[in-house]
Amino acid sequence: MRTFVAGQEAHGDIEFAELALGIDIDLFRGPLESETDGERAAREDAARDILADLRAEAAAGDEIAGWDALYADALTHTVPFLRAARGHRSETGEAA
């Protein structure tokens, strides 16, 4: 069975959520693989700008933007499990 959102095929749950909500999960949460300090800073700057735009649209009465802002903000407070586990192992001296 194939799933389409707005004419685009979604390959998996994450892609479905991204297409349906218009939110790039990796932009706000961070990628599962490692990123450089420069890449992280650029990603976080872009996420802050987009979140500010969503909040402004919500304040102007766009309810969908308000929900998107809440979702995006929640993503910024999460850490992908695999990345967190790798970081914990390296701090304790265990092999990753």
Side-chain angles (χ1 to χ4, degrees):
M1 180 174 190
R2 299 182 337 176
T3 305
F4 290 87
V5 177
Q8 293 185 356
E9 186 175 358
H11 301 279
D13 294 343
I14 291 176
E15 190 172 350
F16 177 81
E18 288 176 355
L19 290 171
L21 299 173
I23 298 290
D24 180 350
I25 293 171
D26 284 346
L27 177 65
F28 293 96
R29 177 200 61 199
L32 294 177
E33 61 277 343
S34 63
E35 60 186 343
T36 66
D37 290 340
E39 290 169 336
R40 183 174 50 257
R43 178 183 54 76
E44 289 174 349
D45 285 345
R48 270 192 296 277
D49 290 345
I50 292 169
L51 189 53
D53 290 344
L54 288 171
R55 288 178 175 152
E57 291 172 17
D62 186 339
E63 184 179 352
I64 301 300
W67 286 109
D68 285 348
L70 289 172
Y71 178 59
D73 186 52
L75 286 171
T76 65
H77 301 293
T78 63
V79 176
F81 177 75
L82 295 175
R83 190 173 74 209
R86 279 193 297 264
H88 177 70
R89 284 184 183 159
S90 63
E91 291 171 6
T92 61
E94 293 181 30

Coordinates of all heavy atoms in Angstrom, one line a residue:
M1 N 0.8 -1.2 0.0 CA 0.0 0.0 0.0 C 0.9 1.2 0.0 O 1.9 1.3 0.7 CB -0.9 0.0 1.2 CG -1.8 1.2 1.3 SD -2.9 1.0 2.7 CE -4.0 2.3 2.4
R2 N 0.5 2.2 -0.8 CA 1.3 3.5 -0.9 C 0.5 4.6 -0.3 O -0.7 4.6 -0.3 CB 1.6 3.8 -2.3 CG 2.5 2.6 -2.9 CD 2.9 2.8 -4.3 NE 2.2 3.7 -5.2 CZ 2.5 4.0 -6.4 NH1 3.6 3.5 -6.9 NH2 1.8 4.8 -7.1
T3 N 1.2 5.5 0.3 CA 0.6 6.7 1.0 C 1.0 7.9 0.3 O 2.2 8.2 0.1 CB 0.9 6.7 2.5 OG1 0.6 5.4 3.1 CG2 0.2 7.8 3.2
F4 N 0.1 8.8 0.0 CA 0.4 10.1 -0.6 C -0.2 11.2 0.3 O -1.2 11.1 0.8 CB -0.3 10.2 -2.0 CG 0.3 9.3 -3.0 CD1 -0.1 7.9 -3.1 CD2 1.3 9.7 -3.8 CE1 0.5 7.1 -4.0 CE2 1.9 8.9 -4.8 CZ 1.5 7.6 -4.9
V5 N 0.6 12.3 0.3 CA 0.2 13.5 1.0 C 0.5 14.7 0.0 O 1.6 14.9 -0.4 CB 1.0 13.7 2.3 CG1 0.6 15.1 2.9 CG2 0.8 12.6 3.3
A6 N -0.6 15.4 -0.3 CA -0.5 16.5 -1.2 C 0.2 16.1 -2.5 O 1.0 16.8 -3.1 CB 0.2 17.7 -0.6
G7 N -0.1 14.9 -3.0 CA 0.4 14.5 -4.3 C 1.8 13.9 -4.3 O 2.4 13.5 -5.3
Q8 N 2.4 13.8 -3.1 CA 3.8 13.3 -2.9 C 3.7 12.0 -2.2 O 3.0 11.9 -1.2 CB 4.7 14.2 -2.2 CG 5.0 15.5 -3.0 CD 6.0 16.4 -2.3 OE1 6.4 16.1 -1.2 NE2 6.3 17.5 -2.9
E9 N 4.4 11.0 -2.6 CA 4.4 9.7 -2.0 C 5.3 9.7 -0.7 O 6.4 10.2 -0.7 CB 4.9 8.6 -2.9 CG 4.8 7.2 -2.3 CD 5.1 6.1 -3.2 OE1 5.5 6.4 -4.4 OE2 5.1 4.9 -2.8
A10 N 4.7 9.3 0.4 CA 5.5 9.2 1.7 C 6.1 7.8 1.8 O 5.3 6.8 1.8 CB 4.6 9.5 2.8
H11 N 7.4 7.7 2.1 CA 8.0 6.4 2.3 C 8.4 6.3 3.8 O 9.5 6.7 4.2 CB 9.3 6.4 1.4 CG 9.1 6.5 0.0 ND1 8.6 5.4 -0.8 CD2 9.2 7.6 -0.8 CE1 8.5 5.8 -2.0 NE2 8.8 7.1 -2.1
G12 N 7.4 5.9 4.6 CA 7.7 5.7 6.0 C 6.9 6.7 6.8 O 6.4 7.7 6.3
D13 N 6.9 6.4 8.1 CA 6.2 7.3 9.1 C 6.7 8.7 9.2 O 6.0 9.7 9.3 CB 6.2 6.6 10.5 CG 5.4 5.3 10.5 OD1 4.6 5.1 9.6 OD2 5.6 4.5 11.4
I14 N 8.0 8.8 9.3 CA 8.7 10.1 9.4 C 8.4 11.0 8.2 O 8.0 12.2 8.3 CB 10.2 10.0 9.7 CG1 10.4 9.4 11.1 CG2 10.9 11.3 9.6 CD1 11.8 9.1 11.5
E15 N 8.6 10.4 7.0 CA 8.3 11.2 5.8 C 6.8 11.6 5.7 O 6.5 12.7 5.3 CB 8.8 10.4 4.6 CG 8.7 11.3 3.3 CD 9.3 10.6 2.1 OE1 10.0 9.5 2.3 OE2 9.2 11.2 1.0
F16 N 5.9 10.7 6.2 CA 4.5 11.0 6.2 C 4.3 12.2 7.1 O 3.6 13.2 6.7 CB 3.7 9.8 6.6 CG 2.2 10.2 6.7 CD1 1.4 10.1 5.6 CD2 1.7 10.5 8.0 CE1 0.1 10.4 5.7 CE2 0.3 10.8 8.0 CZ -0.5 10.8 6.9
A17 N 4.8 12.2 8.3 CA 4.7 13.3 9.2 C 5.2 14.6 8.6 O 4.6 15.7 8.8 CB 5.3 13.0 10.6
E18 N 6.4 14.5 8.0 CA 7.0 15.7 7.4 C 6.1 16.3 6.3 O 5.9 17.5 6.3 CB 8.4 15.4 6.9 CG 9.4 15.2 8.0 CD 10.8 14.7 7.4 OE1 10.9 14.5 6.2 OE2 11.7 14.6 8.2
L19 N 5.6 15.5 5.5 CA 4.8 15.9 4.4 C 3.4 16.5 4.9 O 2.9 17.5 4.5 CB 4.5 14.8 3.4 CG 5.7 14.4 2.5 CD1 5.3 13.2 1.7 CD2 6.1 15.6 1.6
A20 N 2.8 15.8 5.9 CA 1.5 16.2 6.4 C 1.6 17.5 7.2 O 0.8 18.3 7.1 CB 1.0 15.1 7.3
L21 N 2.7 17.6 8.0 CA 2.8 18.8 8.9 C 3.6 19.9 8.3 O 3.6 21.0 8.8 CB 3.4 18.3 10.3 CG 2.6 17.3 11.0 CD1 3.4 16.8 12.3 CD2 1.3 17.9 11.5
G22 N 4.4 19.6 7.3 CA 5.3 20.6 6.7 C 6.5 20.9 7.6 O 7.1 22.0 7.5
I23 N 6.8 20.0 8.5 CA 7.9 20.2 9.4 C 9.0 19.2 9.1 O 8.8 18.0 9.1 CB 7.5 20.0 10.9 CG1 6.4 21.0 11.3 CG2 8.6 20.1 11.9 CD1 6.9 22.5 11.4
D24 N 10.3 19.7 8.9 CA 11.4 18.8 8.7 C 11.9 18.4 10.1 O 12.5 19.2 10.8 CB 12.5 19.6 7.9 CG 13.7 18.7 7.7 OD1 13.9 17.6 8.2 OD2 14.6 19.2 6.9
I25 N 11.7 17.2 10.5 CA 12.0 16.7 11.8 C 13.5 16.9 12.1 O 13.9 17.3 13.2 CB 11.6 15.3 12.0 CG1 10.0 15.2 11.9 CG2 12.1 14.7 13.3 CD1 9.5 13.8 11.9
D26 N 14.4 16.5 11.1 CA 15.8 16.6 11.4 C 16.3 18.1 11.6 O 17.2 18.3 12.3 CB 16.6 16.0 10.2 CG 16.6 14.5 10.2 OD1 16.3 13.9 11.3 OD2 17.0 13.9 9.2
L27 N 15.6 19.0 11.0 CA 16.0 20.4 11.2 C 15.8 20.8 12.6 O 16.7 21.5 13.2 CB 15.1 21.3 10.3 CG 15.3 22.8 10.4 CD1 16.7 23.2 10.0 CD2 14.3 23.6 9.7
F28 N 14.7 20.4 13.3 CA 14.5 20.8 14.6 C 15.1 19.9 15.7 O 15.6 20.3 16.7 CB 13.0 21.0 14.9 CG 12.4 22.1 14.1 CD1 11.8 21.9 12.9 CD2 12.5 23.4 14.6 CE1 11.3 23.0 12.1 CE2 12.0 24.5 13.8 CZ 11.4 24.2 12.6
R29 N 15.1 18.6 15.4 CA 15.6 17.6 16.3 C 17.1 17.4 16.2 O 17.8 17.1 17.1 CB 14.8 16.3 16.1 CG 15.3 15.1 17.0 CD 15.0 13.8 16.4 NE 15.6 13.6 15.1 CZ 15.2 12.7 14.2 NH1 14.2 12.0 14.5 NH2 15.8 12.6 13.1
G30 N 17.5 17.5 15.0 CA 18.9 17.1 14.7 C 19.0 15.8 14.0 O 18.1 15.0 14.2
P31 N 20.0 15.6 13.1 CA 20.1 14.3 12.4 C 20.5 13.2 13.3 O 21.1 13.4 14.4 CB 21.2 14.7 11.3 CG 22.0 15.7 12.0 CD 21.1 16.5 12.8
L32 N 20.2 12.0 12.8 CA 20.7 10.8 13.6 C 22.2 10.6 13.5 O 22.7 10.1 14.5 CB 19.9 9.6 13.1 CG 18.4 9.6 13.3 CD1 17.8 8.3 12.6 CD2 18.1 9.6 14.7
E33 N 22.8 11.0 12.4 CA 24.3 10.9 12.3 C 24.9 12.2 12.9 O 24.2 13.1 13.1 CB 24.7 10.6 10.9 CG 24.3 11.7 9.9 CD 22.9 11.6 9.4 OE1 22.3 10.5 9.5 OE2 22.4 12.6 8.8
S34 N 26.2 12.1 13.1 CA 26.9 13.2 13.7 C 26.9 14.4 12.8 O 26.9 14.2 11.5 CB 28.3 12.8 14.2 OG 29.0 12.4 13.1
E35 N 27.1 15.6 13.3 CA 27.2 16.8 12.5 C 28.3 17.6 13.1 O 28.6 17.5 14.3 CB 25.9 17.6 12.4 CG 25.4 18.0 13.7 CD 24.0 18.7 13.6 OE1 23.5 19.1 12.5 OE2 23.3 18.8 14.6
T36 N 29.0 18.5 12.3 CA 30.0 19.3 12.8 C 29.4 20.5 13.6 O 28.2 20.7 13.5 CB 30.9 19.9 11.6 OG1 30.0 20.8 10.9 CG2 31.4 18.8 10.7
D37 N 30.3 21.2 14.3 CA 29.8 22.3 15.1 C 29.2 23.4 14.1 O 28.1 24.0 14.4 CB 30.9 22.9 15.9 CG 31.3 22.0 17.1 OD1 30.5 21.2 17.5 OD2 32.4 22.2 17.6
G38 N 29.8 23.6 13.0 CA 29.3 24.6 12.0 C 28.0 24.1 11.4 O 27.1 25.0 11.3
E39 N 27.8 22.9 11.1 CA 26.5 22.4 10.6 C 25.4 22.5 11.6 O 24.3 22.9 11.3 CB 26.7 20.9 10.2 CG 27.5 20.7 8.9 CD 27.9 19.2 8.7 OE1 27.9 18.4 9.6 OE2 28.1 18.9 7.5
R40 N 25.8 22.2 12.9 CA 24.8 22.3 13.9 C 24.4 23.7 14.2 O 23.2 24.0 14.3 CB 25.3 21.7 15.3 CG 24.3 21.7 16.4 CD 24.7 21.0 17.7 NE 26.0 21.4 18.2 CZ 27.1 20.7 18.1 NH1 27.1 19.5 17.4 NH2 28.2 21.1 18.6
A41 N 25.3 24.6 14.2 CA 25.0 26.1 14.3 C 24.1 26.6 13.2 O 23.1 27.3 13.5 CB 26.3 26.9 14.4
A42 N 24.4 26.2 12.0 CA 23.6 26.6 10.8 C 22.2 26.0 10.9 O 21.2 26.7 10.7 CB 24.3 26.2 9.5
R43 N 22.1 24.7 11.3 CA 20.8 24.1 11.4 C 20.0 24.7 12.5 O 18.8 25.1 12.3 CB 21.0 22.6 11.7 CG 19.6 21.9 11.9 CD 19.9 20.4 12.3 NE 20.7 20.2 13.4 CZ 20.3 20.4 14.7 NH1 19.1 20.8 15.0 NH2 21.2 20.1 15.7
E44 N 20.6 25.0 13.7 CA 19.9 25.6 14.8 C 19.5 27.1 14.4 O 18.4 27.5 14.9 CB 20.7 25.6 16.0 CG 20.9 24.2 16.6 CD 21.8 24.0 17.8 OE1 22.6 25.0 18.1 OE2 21.8 23.0 18.4
D45 N 20.3 27.8 13.7 CA 19.9 29.2 13.3 C 18.7 29.1 12.4 O 17.7 29.9 12.6 CB 21.0 29.9 12.6 CG 22.1 30.4 13.5 OD1 21.9 30.4 14.7 OD2 23.2 30.7 13.0
A46 N 18.7 28.2 11.4 CA 17.5 28.1 10.5 C 16.3 27.6 11.3 O 15.2 28.2 11.1 CB 17.9 27.0 9.4
A47 N 16.4 26.7 12.2 CA 15.3 26.2 13.0 C 14.7 27.4 13.8 O 13.5 27.6 13.9 CB 15.7 25.1 13.9
R48 N 15.6 28.2 14.4 CA 15.1 29.4 15.2 C 14.3 30.3 14.3 O 13.3 30.9 14.7 CB 16.3 30.1 15.9 CG 16.6 29.5 17.3 CD 17.6 30.5 18.0 NE 18.9 30.6 17.3 CZ 19.9 29.7 17.5 NH1 19.7 28.6 18.3 NH2 21.0 29.8 16.9
D49 N 14.9 30.6 13.1 CA 14.2 31.5 12.2 C 12.8 31.0 11.8 O 11.8 31.7 11.8 CB 15.0 31.8 11.0 CG 16.3 32.6 11.3 OD1 16.4 33.2 12.3 OD2 17.2 32.6 10.4
I50 N 12.8 29.7 11.5 CA 11.5 29.1 11.1 C 10.5 29.1 12.2 O 9.3 29.4 12.1 CB 11.7 27.7 10.5 CG1 12.5 27.9 9.1 CG2 10.4 27.0 10.3 CD1 13.0 26.6 8.6
L51 N 11.0 28.8 13.4 CA 10.1 28.7 14.6 C 9.6 30.1 14.9 O 8.4 30.3 15.2 CB 10.9 28.2 15.8 CG 10.1 27.9 17.0 CD1 8.9 27.0 16.7 CD2 11.0 27.2 18.1
A52 N 10.4 31.2 14.7 CA 10.0 32.5 15.0 C 8.9 32.9 13.9 O 7.9 33.6 14.3 CB 11.2 33.5 14.9
D53 N 9.1 32.5 12.7 CA 8.1 32.8 11.7 C 6.7 32.1 12.0 O 5.7 32.7 11.8 CB 8.6 32.3 10.3 CG 9.7 33.2 9.7 OD1 9.9 34.3 10.3 OD2 10.3 32.7 8.8
L54 N 6.8 30.8 12.4 CA 5.6 30.1 12.8 C 4.9 30.7 13.9 O 3.7 30.9 13.9 CB 6.0 28.6 13.1 CG 6.4 27.7 12.0 CD1 6.9 26.4 12.5 CD2 5.2 27.5 11.0
R55 N 5.6 31.2 14.9 CA 5.0 31.9 16.1 C 4.4 33.2 15.6 O 3.3 33.5 16.1 CB 6.1 32.1 17.2 CG 6.5 30.8 17.9 CD 7.5 31.1 18.9 NE 7.8 29.8 19.6 CZ 9.0 29.6 20.2 NH1 10.0 30.4 20.1 NH2 9.1 28.4 20.9
A56 N 5.0 33.9 14.7 CA 4.4 35.2 14.3 C 3.2 34.9 13.5 O 2.2 35.6 13.6 CB 5.4 35.9 13.4
E57 N 3.1 33.9 12.7 CA 1.9 33.5 11.9 C 0.8 33.1 12.9 O -0.3 33.4 12.7 CB 2.2 32.4 10.9 CG 3.1 32.8 9.8 CD 3.6 31.6 8.9 OE1 3.0 30.5 9.0 OE2 4.5 31.8 8.1
A58 N 1.2 32.4 13.9 CA 0.2 31.9 14.9 C -0.4 33.1 15.6 O -1.6 33.2 15.9 CB 0.9 31.0 15.9
A59 N 0.5 34.1 16.0 CA 0.0 35.3 16.7 C -0.9 36.1 15.8 O -1.8 36.8 16.3 CB 1.2 36.2 17.1
A60 N -0.7 36.0 14.4 CA -1.6 36.7 13.5 C -2.9 35.9 13.2 O -3.7 36.4 12.4 CB -0.8 36.9 12.2
G61 N -3.1 34.8 13.9 CA -4.3 34.1 13.8 C -4.3 32.8 13.0 O -5.3 32.1 12.9
D62 N -3.1 32.3 12.6 CA -3.0 31.1 11.8 C -2.9 29.9 12.8 O -1.8 29.7 13.4 CB -1.8 31.1 10.9 CG -1.7 29.9 10.0 OD1 -2.3 28.8 10.3 OD2 -1.0 30.0 9.0
E63 N -4.0 29.2 13.0 CA -4.0 28.1 14.0 C -3.1 27.0 13.7 O -2.4 26.4 14.5 CB -5.5 27.6 14.2 CG -5.6 26.5 15.3 CD -7.0 26.0 15.4 OE1 -8.0 26.6 14.8 OE2 -7.2 25.1 16.2
I64 N -3.0 26.6 12.4 CA -2.1 25.6 11.9 C -0.7 25.9 12.2 O 0.1 25.1 12.7 CB -2.3 25.3 10.4 CG1 -3.8 24.9 10.1 CG2 -1.4 24.2 9.9 CD1 -4.3 23.6 10.9
A65 N -0.3 27.1 12.0 CA 1.1 27.6 12.3 C 1.3 27.5 13.8 O 2.5 27.1 14.2 CB 1.3 29.0 11.8
G66 N 0.3 27.7 14.6 CA 0.5 27.6 16.0 C 0.8 26.2 16.4 O 1.7 25.9 17.3
W67 N 0.0 25.2 15.9 CA 0.3 23.8 16.2 C 1.6 23.4 15.6 O 2.3 22.6 16.3 CB -0.9 23.0 15.6 CG -2.1 23.1 16.4 CD1 -3.3 23.7 16.0 CD2 -2.4 22.6 17.7 NE1 -4.2 23.6 17.0 CE2 -3.7 22.9 18.0 CE3 -1.6 21.9 18.6 CZ2 -4.2 22.6 19.3 CZ3 -2.2 21.6 19.9 CH2 -3.5 21.9 20.2
D68 N 2.0 23.8 14.4 CA 3.3 23.5 13.9 C 4.4 24.1 14.8 O 5.4 23.4 15.0 CB 3.4 24.1 12.5 CG 2.7 23.3 11.4 OD1 2.2 22.1 11.8 OD2 2.5 23.7 10.3
A69 N 4.2 25.3 15.3 CA 5.2 25.9 16.2 C 5.4 25.0 17.5 O 6.5 24.8 17.9 CB 4.8 27.3 16.5
L70 N 4.3 24.6 18.0 CA 4.4 23.7 19.2 C 5.1 22.4 18.9 O 5.9 22.0 19.7 CB 2.9 23.4 19.7 CG 2.2 24.6 20.4 CD1 0.8 24.2 20.7 CD2 2.9 25.0 21.6
Y71 N 4.8 21.8 17.8 CA 5.4 20.6 17.4 C 6.9 20.8 17.2 O 7.8 20.0 17.7 CB 4.8 20.0 16.2 CG 5.4 18.7 15.7 CD1 5.4 17.6 16.5 CD2 5.8 18.6 14.4 CE1 6.0 16.4 16.0 CE2 6.4 17.5 13.9 CZ 6.5 16.3 14.7 OH 7.0 15.2 14.2
A72 N 7.3 21.8 16.4 CA 8.7 22.1 16.1 C 9.4 22.4 17.4 O 10.6 22.0 17.6 CB 8.8 23.3 15.1
D73 N 8.8 23.2 18.3 CA 9.5 23.5 19.6 C 9.7 22.3 20.4 O 10.8 22.1 21.0 CB 8.7 24.6 20.3 CG 9.4 25.0 21.6 OD1 10.5 25.5 21.5 OD2 8.8 24.9 22.7
A74 N 8.8 21.4 20.4 CA 8.9 20.1 21.2 C 10.1 19.3 20.6 O 10.9 18.7 21.3 CB 7.6 19.3 21.2
L75 N 10.2 19.3 19.3 CA 11.3 18.6 18.6 C 12.7 19.1 19.0 O 13.7 18.4 19.1 CB 11.2 18.6 17.1 CG 10.1 17.7 16.5 CD1 9.9 18.0 15.0 CD2 10.4 16.3 16.7
T76 N 12.8 20.4 19.3 CA 14.1 21.0 19.7 C 14.5 20.5 21.0 O 15.7 20.7 21.4 CB 14.0 22.5 19.6 OG1 13.1 23.0 20.6 CG2 13.6 23.1 18.3
H77 N 13.6 20.0 21.8 CA 13.9 19.5 23.2 C 14.1 18.0 23.2 O 14.2 17.4 24.3 CB 12.8 19.9 24.2 CG 12.6 21.4 24.2 ND1 13.6 22.3 24.7 CD2 11.6 22.2 23.8 CE1 13.1 23.5 24.6 NE2 11.9 23.5 24.0
T78 N 14.3 17.4 22.1 CA 14.5 15.9 22.0 C 15.9 15.6 21.5 O 16.5 16.4 20.8 CB 13.4 15.2 21.1 OG1 13.6 15.7 19.8 CG2 12.0 15.5 21.6
V79 N 16.4 14.5 21.8 CA 17.6 14.0 21.3 C 17.4 12.6 20.7 O 16.8 11.7 21.4 CB 18.7 13.9 22.4 CG1 20.0 13.3 21.9 CG2 18.9 15.2 23.1
P80 N 17.7 12.4 19.5 CA 17.5 11.1 18.9 C 18.2 10.0 19.8 O 19.3 10.2 20.2 CB 18.2 11.2 17.5 CG 18.2 12.6 17.2 CD 18.3 13.3 18.5
F81 N 17.5 8.9 20.0 CA 17.9 7.9 20.9 C 19.3 7.4 20.5 O 20.2 7.2 21.4 CB 16.9 6.7 21.0 CG 17.4 5.6 21.8 CD1 17.3 5.7 23.2 CD2 17.8 4.4 21.2 CE1 17.7 4.6 24.0 CE2 18.3 3.4 22.0 CZ 18.2 3.5 23.4
L82 N 19.5 7.1 19.3 CA 20.8 6.5 18.8 C 21.9 7.5 19.1 O 23.0 7.1 19.5 CB 20.7 6.1 17.3 CG 19.7 5.0 17.0 CD1 19.6 4.8 15.5 CD2 20.1 3.7 17.7
R83 N 21.7 8.7 18.8 CA 22.8 9.7 19.0 C 23.1 9.9 20.5 O 24.2 9.9 20.9 CB 22.4 11.1 18.4 CG 23.6 12.1 18.4 CD 23.2 13.3 17.7 NE 22.3 14.1 18.5 CZ 21.4 15.0 18.0 NH1 21.3 15.1 16.7 NH2 20.6 15.7 18.8
A84 N 22.0 9.8 21.3 CA 22.2 9.9 22.8 C 23.0 8.7 23.3 O 23.9 8.9 24.2 CB 20.9 10.1 23.5
A85 N 22.6 7.6 22.8 CA 23.3 6.3 23.2 C 24.8 6.3 22.9 O 25.6 6.0 23.6 CB 22.6 5.1 22.7
R86 N 25.1 6.8 21.7 CA 26.5 6.9 21.2 C 27.3 7.8 22.1 O 28.4 7.6 22.5 CB 26.6 7.3 19.8 CG 26.4 6.2 18.8 CD 26.8 6.6 17.4 NE 26.0 7.7 16.9 CZ 24.9 7.6 16.1 NH1 24.5 6.4 15.7 NH2 24.3 8.6 15.7
G87 N 26.7 9.0 22.4 CA 27.3 10.0 23.3 C 27.6 9.4 24.7 O 28.6 9.6 25.3
H88 N 26.6 8.7 25.2 CA 26.7 8.1 26.5 C 27.8 7.1 26.6 O 28.6 7.1 27.5 CB 25.4 7.5 27.0 CG 25.5 6.8 28.3 ND1 25.6 7.6 29.5 CD2 25.4 5.5 28.7 CE1 25.7 6.7 30.5 NE2 25.6 5.5 30.0
R89 N 27.9 6.3 25.6 CA 29.0 5.2 25.5 C 30.3 5.9 25.5 O 31.2 5.4 26.1 CB 28.8 4.3 24.3 CG 27.6 3.3 24.5 CD 27.6 2.4 23.3 NE 26.5 1.5 23.4 CZ 25.9 0.9 22.4 NH1 26.4 1.1 21.2 NH2 24.9 0.1 22.6
S90 N 30.5 6.9 24.7 CA 31.8 7.5 24.6 C 32.2 8.2 25.9 O 33.4 8.3 26.2 CB 31.9 8.5 23.4 OG 31.0 9.5 23.6
E91 N 31.3 8.7 26.6 CA 31.6 9.4 27.9 C 32.0 8.4 28.9 O 32.7 8.7 29.8 CB 30.3 10.2 28.4 CG 30.0 11.4 27.5 CD 28.7 12.0 27.9 OE1 28.1 11.6 28.8 OE2 28.3 12.9 27.1
T92 N 31.4 7.2 28.9 CA 31.7 6.2 29.9 C 32.9 5.3 29.5 O 33.3 4.4 30.3 CB 30.5 5.3 30.1 OG1 30.2 4.6 28.9 CG2 29.3 6.0 30.7
G93 N 33.4 5.5 28.3 CA 34.6 4.7 27.9 C 34.3 3.4 27.2 O 35.1 2.7 26.9
E94 N 33.0 3.1 27.1 CA 32.6 1.9 26.4 C 32.8 2.1 24.9 O 32.7 3.1 24.3 CB 31.1 1.6 26.6 CG 30.8 1.3 28.1 CD 29.3 1.0 28.3 OE1 28.7 0.5 27.3 OE2 28.8 1.2 29.3
A95 N 33.0 0.9 24.2 CA 33.1 1.0 22.8 C 31.8 1.2 22.1 O 30.8 0.7 22.6 CB 33.6 -0.4 22.3
A96 N 31.8 2.1 21.1 CA 30.5 2.5 20.5 C 30.1 1.5 19.4 O 30.8 0.8 18.8 CB 30.6 3.9 19.9

